[in-house]
């Protein structure tokens, strides 16, 4: 058992480390370079390319992300694979135009239900140690239960002021029960069956001042991984990050197997059905 005083000191140390280092997803750590070779950075052109959202490679020309990343279309955005540092020139980087964006037609902007999108790259990527696909969970697969350890990664904000890290970060979090996330002091009815919520593991009752490990702004579209398989997509933009009663919300990928197959199959299928 950890005494209240020890817990308080530990929390204070973490908070201090967070403030002084100013690094992170909120909390978390920098990844070993290219150890998550499926990670994609979706960038918007301007004076320089700016990272806006994450994504992950699921097939030679396809990246999965969230609808709320590009609700009105790609508008000139690019997808960069093989990235560790956003700013440094890395010879592992491969940059693509978006040839097709498929936002899920049932995306609900009021609660982010069905927040899943597929990007078709303008050409297949070159497979390397730094660029590889990740498996994603299909219908019938096992989603993580309450308390299961899951991981997420991103180049998103490290605090609620919008500071962004340059290098990819990862964090280990725990799945929170759907019953809890449906509670009115959490997300209430906005939380649907198509969502998983997860946060830094915290005993009931959660009495820490606030939760310091979470995905945040700019991590959107990235994967939630369970045993190395992508089971979720970072969703829920707009919330303040790292709040105890607002865990991160992730789209349940296994609910969309048919839509994914249809979307990725429609280019090669001989079917003349239009969608
Ligand atoms: C893959 O490698 C070939 C040969 O080096 C190169 O021409 C092509 O542009 C590369 N493709 C991508 C996506 O970078």
């Amino acid at each position: 058992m950890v005494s209240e005083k020890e817990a308080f000191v530990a929390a204070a140390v973490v908070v201090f480390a967070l403030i002084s280092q100013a690094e992170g997803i909120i909390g978390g750590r920098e990844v070993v370079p290219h150890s998550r070779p499926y990670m994609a950075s979706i960038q918007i052109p301007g004076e320089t390319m700016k990272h806006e959202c994450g994504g992950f490679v699921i097939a030679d020309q396809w990246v999965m992300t969230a609808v709320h990343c590009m609700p009105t279309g790609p508008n000139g955005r690019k997808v960069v694979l093989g990235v560790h540092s956003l700013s440094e020139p890395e010879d592992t980087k491969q940059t693509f135009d978006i040839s097709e964006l498929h936002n899920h037609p049932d995306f609900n902007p009021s609660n982010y239900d069905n927040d899943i999108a597929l990007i078709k790259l303008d050409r297949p990527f070159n497979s390397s140690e730094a660029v590889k696909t990740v498996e994603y969970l299909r219908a019938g697969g096992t989603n993580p239960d309450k308390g299961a350890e899951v991981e997420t990664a991103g180049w998103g904000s490290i605090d609620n002021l919008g500071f962004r890290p340059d290098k990819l970060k990862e964090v280990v979090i725990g799945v929170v029960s759907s019953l809890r996330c449906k509670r009115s002091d959490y997300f209430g009815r906005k939380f649907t069956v198509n969502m998983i919520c997860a946060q830094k593991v915290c005993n009931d009752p959660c009495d820490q001042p606030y939760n310091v490990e979470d995905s945040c702004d700019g991590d959107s579209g990235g994967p939630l991984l369970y045993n190395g398989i992508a089971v979720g997509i970072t969703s829920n933009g707009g919330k303040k990050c790292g709040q105890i009663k607002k865990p991160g919300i992730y789209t349940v990928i296994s609910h969309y197997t048919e839509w994914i197959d249809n979307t990725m199959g429609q280019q090669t299928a001989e079917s003349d059905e239009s969608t």
Side-chain angles (χ1 to χ4, degrees):
M1 282 293 291
V2 180
S3 75
E4 262 184 44
K5 187 174 173 222
E6 282 171 313
F8 177 78
V9 170
V13 167
V14 171
V15 169
F16 178 73
L18 187 70
I19 292 166
S20 63
Q21 267 194 341
E23 262 187 27
I25 224 170
I26 296 226
R29 57 171 182 251
E30 188 181 317
V31 308
V32 171
H34 312 300
S35 57
R36 296 186 181 275
Y38 43 79
M39 287 298 299
S41 165
I42 300 173
Q43 306 191 353
I44 182 144
E47 265 174 55
T48 58
M49 296 296 290
K50 188 171 170 282
H51 170 85
E52 206 176 46
C53 257
F56 48 103
V57 184
I58 57 163
D60 68 351
Q61 218 169 332
W62 292 93
V63 169
M64 192 174 277
T65 185
V67 175
H68 79 269
C69 287
M70 295 179 279
T72 63
N75 298 317
R77 287 176 182 80
K78 307 224 181 239
V79 176
V80 190
L81 307 182
V83 181
H84 180 59
S85 157
L86 291 171
S87 67
E88 287 164 28
E90 297 171 320
D91 57 16
T92 50
K93 285 179 183 170
Q94 299 180 38
T95 303
F96 301 84
D97 286 325
I98 295 174
S99 78
E100 293 171 21
L101 172 65
H102 299 265
N103 282 336
H104 195 285
D106 301 326
F107 173 66
N108 181 342
S110 71
N111 66 348
Y112 287 50
D113 198 19
N114 305 306
D115 196 7
I116 179 170
L118 286 167
I119 292 168
K120 188 177 190 193
L121 305 175
D122 62 340
R123 60 200 194 286
F125 68 83
N126 285 331
S127 189
S128 70
E129 283 309 301
V131 186
K132 284 187 182 131
T133 58
V134 65
E135 191 183 332
Y136 60 91
L137 196 70
R138 297 182 62 85
T142 307
N143 276 294
D145 270 335
K146 168 190 175 187
E149 244 185 35
V150 286
E151 301 172 313
T152 186
W155 290 271
S157 301
I158 55 185
D159 58 28
N160 277 308
L161 303 175
F163 280 109
R164 296 283 182 91
D166 182 54
K167 297 185 172 125
L168 183 61
K169 299 210 63 181
E170 63 190 359
V171 63
V172 177
I173 48 182
V175 172
V176 178
S177 79
S178 295
L179 280 180
R180 181 185 284 263
C181 282
K182 265 183 238 159
R183 267 168 35 182
S184 57
D185 53 338
Y186 277 67
F187 298 105
R189 259 177 256 139
K190 291 188 161 186
F191 190 82
T192 75
V193 292
N194 299 313
M195 302 174 184
I196 295 176
C197 68
Q199 69 184 172
K200 171 88 173 151
V201 181
C202 163
N203 296 325
D204 198 358
C206 268
D207 54 5
Q208 291 148 323
Y210 52 87
N211 171 37
V212 294
E213 305 220 338
D214 193 8
S215 55
C216 197
D217 198 27
D219 291 323
S220 287
L224 183 74
L225 298 134
Y226 177 51
N227 295 330
I229 296 173
V231 296
I233 304 167
T234 307
S235 179
N236 193 42
K239 77 179 173 79
K240 275 189 130 187
C241 313
Q243 296 182 106
I244 213 83
K245 289 188 173 173
K246 294 288 178 279
I249 291 188
Y250 302 83
T251 308
V252 177
I253 297 172
S254 65
H255 288 186
Y256 299 93
T257 306
E258 200 180 328
W259 179 77
I260 294 167
D261 287 350
N262 287 341
T263 303
M264 289 180 21
Q266 71 189 14
Q267 279 72 32
T268 48
E270 271 191 285
S271 159
D272 52 12
E273 275 176 3
S274 55
T275 37

